[in-house]
Amino acid sequence: MIFAGNFKTNHTRVSTKRYIEDLNKKIEYAPTEHSIYIFPPLMAIDNYETSATIGVQNAYPAENGAFTGEIGLEQLEEFKIKTILIGHSERREHLRESQDIVSSKFNFFKENGFEIIYCIGEPLEIRDMGDDEVMRYLSAQFEGIDINYENLIIAYEPIWAIGTGRSATVEEISSTHKSLKEIVNKPLLYGGSAKPSNIQDIIAIDGVDGVLVGSASLSVNSFYEMINS
Ligand code: PEP
């Protein structure tokens, strides 16, 4: 199973360091066969010694250059970062990332051999229209994306379940993952209010290969409780 923690705009360099040290201790005490990923804010990226994979939540699709406020490949290479989240609904919505922008990031980081966790998800009004509409909406988020890319992990994250405390139901996750697996043969994570109290139900679902966790990953105890469940 894959357990990925997305800190978003939470944690500092100091608290991320402490978090990773605590996580290391827990893993050392009880080694896990699961794959763990941590996505701290960019300011907290550093040379951490850990068996968890450290990735970034975003970067600009250029090696370097005049892109004020952004970081590119050169800055990631300094810390040997080779994993990136692309297409998160918060970037699509708040940062106005269109499918064109998302796919150009995807292609740039693919060409540079990055492992990509590519996020897709539908808003509530689409979910309310039924499964066919959901799949039409999700399929459009694969436009310009090489779904056969070898270093690709998909995260299905219904937007209405992100940060709301309301996870999708087992039936909703199960049927959407089943349909997605017919389109894309890659590890498929679920994301959206996954937490210690529902993690066992979620990872038991056929077609769920792991979880992308926001809020419940902010505390190392809660995140580790999920991994250890
Ligand atoms: C996310 O933003 O990727 C996410 C899944 O957040 P949360 O777990 O807080 O719903």
Side-chain angles (χ1 to χ4, degrees), residues 103-167:
S103 63
S104 69
K105 280 191 185 181
F106 185 98
N107 287 323
F108 179 84
F109 288 102
K110 173 192 153 191
E111 275 157 27
N112 284 286
F114 273 59
E115 181 174 35
I116 298 174
I117 298 190
Y118 183 67
C119 306
I120 56 172
E122 82 287 355
L124 193 54
E125 63 268 24
I126 299 291
R127 169 56 64 179
D128 286 343
M129 289 178 193
D131 290 351
D132 289 350
E133 212 43 55
V134 169
M135 285 314 294
R136 236 189 306 278
Y137 191 93
L138 297 179
S139 302
Q141 295 181 333
F142 288 131
E143 265 165 37
I145 303 298
D146 175 6
I147 56 173
N148 296 313
Y149 176 46
E150 56 184 358
N151 268 333
L152 173 61
I153 295 171
I154 306 287
Y156 166 58
E157 301 202 297
I159 297 169
W160 45 274
I162 294 181
T164 59
R166 172 190 162 184
S167 169

Side-chain angles (χ1 to χ4, degrees), residues 167-192:
S167 169
T169 63
V170 167
E171 293 70 32
E172 286 164 334
I173 300 171
S174 173
S175 71
T176 310
H177 275 232
K178 186 166 180 279
S179 304
L180 284 169
K181 285 273 184 184
E182 284 163 15
I183 301 175
V184 46
N185 182 22
K186 293 290 168 188
L188 183 52
L189 314 184
Y190 167 76

Side-chain angles (χ1 to χ4, degrees), residues 6 8 88 90 157 161-163 191-193 212-215:
N6 174 13
K8 309 188 184 184
H88 194 283
E90 286 158 9
E157 301 202 297
I162 294 181
S193 297
L212 179 54
V213 188
S215 320

